[in-house]
Amino acid sequence: MQQSNRYIIIFTLIMTIVVGGSLALVSQLLAPAQKKSIEFDTKSQILKAVMDISDVDDILSTYDSRIESLVVNVNGEEVTSTDKGPVVAENIDVAREYKKDYKDRLYPVFKFMNKENPNQVEAYIMPVYGAGLWDKIWGFVALKSDLETVAGVSFAHKAETPGLGARISSDEIQSRYQGKKIYNESDRFVSVTMVKGESGGGDASISNFDDKPHQVDGLSGATMTANGVNEMLKKYLDYYQKYFERVKSQGV
Amino acid sequence: MSTETLEQTQEVAVKKKSEDFLSKRRKKILSDPLNDDNPITVQVLGICSALAVTVKMEPTLIMAIAVVFVIVFSNLIISLIRNLVPNRVRIIVQLAVIATLVTLVSEVLKAYNYEMFKVLGAFIGLIITNCIIMGRLEAFAMGNKPYDSILDGLGSGIGYAWIILAVAFFRELLGSGSVFGFEVWNSIGLSGMPNNGLMVDSIGAFVVLGLIIWVQRSLSGYVEN
């Protein structure tokens, strides 16, 4: 069956309108639900850095009652609005900020408040972002109120090797960071590094990481991912240094 | 005059016969792709996603449901408009229908199961290029009635689904020691069972899929010619 060109053009036009219209409609209808699931996902990731969320029933209300957020720049000054309008920490896309020069980025801080005393900060949660072996890795680091001790971390990845680098998103690896210090004895920033190899790996002198405040056990077979994590932590915690100094000096 | 009416009644009779809800012919449409004409193991279509999403059972199940949904509804829609579709642009029309349905699935998943959307995101989009679906539209829905097309879609979809679920079952069991996240080895007292790292890699999928194709073909006696 051979139709005229006119028929074909009219047919495709109608098809385009119907298809486009229905997709636009669906996208509009589902937008609120999508926004809610993305919000839920972000907030559970933030909370995961400081607490075990597997037995928390209502992530959103927990988040609202315990978290206070703000945005700072690289100089540690609070940013409340840019020329594009007011800034909300939860809406900052860390991946997009990552593409800018580090001096121009916006850095969200999520303060985890004490349950009994809502004015007292229990932990500071900062997003981190970087490159793994195959693709991007990201997460959140929580520091205790002394801004020195790691309260917890939560890492996620896009395409690290399953069973090797992908282990960074497991609780087993993340719990290794708890209690580590990001400053050395003379108060110099040193970050926390993951060593090469597992259970001390090639370095037999390390048999126990409990007395190594700046190091955690490595990932066997995933040194490149571990390097990415180290780099990410070091860079991002460094970007927040000015803010940390300000908080310490003001005691806020 | 009298012969004409006779012919007419005969025609009606034939029609009525074929409208059996599940006649033998229709059962065959439905069951053929499950085994004798399986899209993956016999036609070797849709291999890409069969390899990519089958690390764990849960995402595989979601993927299977998504593919069944897309294939059934695109078959139905194309079959309904098959006489209106201009022949010269039929592939584009088929593609538009598939792409619309896939986008729909992806949007719904994003709204109601964000966790799975993060795992499957890219692969849901790639259903568009799944050759099984376009193959069915071109080979079946363009020339058959809507109800038959639904059955055909269902058959092909489930034929695809059971194979990828089988692959995922072995990959998750051997690669992660669990099924649907349930720790199998631990619960039967074999906690020392090591995981096979090969199985979580796509190489493992090749091996498992190859074995399944071998077993399935030797059972059904299918020979490539």
Side-chain angles (χ1 to χ4, degrees), chain A residues 32-86:
Chain A
Q34 290 178 350
K35 216 178 138 194
K36 214 174 155 194
S37 10
I38 292 172
E39 184 191 339
F40 182 83
D41 187 64
T42 318
K43 292 185 172 172
S44 23
Q45 271 195 46
I46 293 171
L47 284 180
K48 224 170 81 183
V50 280
M51 58 199 282
D52 180 15
I53 54 164
S54 56
D55 48 292
V56 176
D57 301 321
D58 196 346
I59 299 274
L60 294 184
S61 73
T62 311
Y63 184 92
D64 287 342
S65 63
R66 300 292 294 275
I67 298 280
E68 266 179 39
S69 60
L70 71 153
V71 180
V72 297
N73 61 17
V74 75
N75 295 322
E77 292 145 355
E78 187 168 349
V79 182
T80 49
S81 66
T82 59
D83 38 322
K84 282 178 197 144

Side-chain angles (χ1 to χ4, degrees), chain A residues 155 168 173 176-177 192-197 214-219 222 225-227 229-230:
Chain A
F155 294 137
I168 58 166
I173 305 297
R176 292 178 183 172
Y177 280 88
V192 180
T193 29
M194 191 176 257
V195 300
K196 184 178 154 84
H214 313 299
Q215 285 169 322
V216 292
D217 202 358
L219 298 170
T225 305
N227 288 348
V229 171
N230 292 344

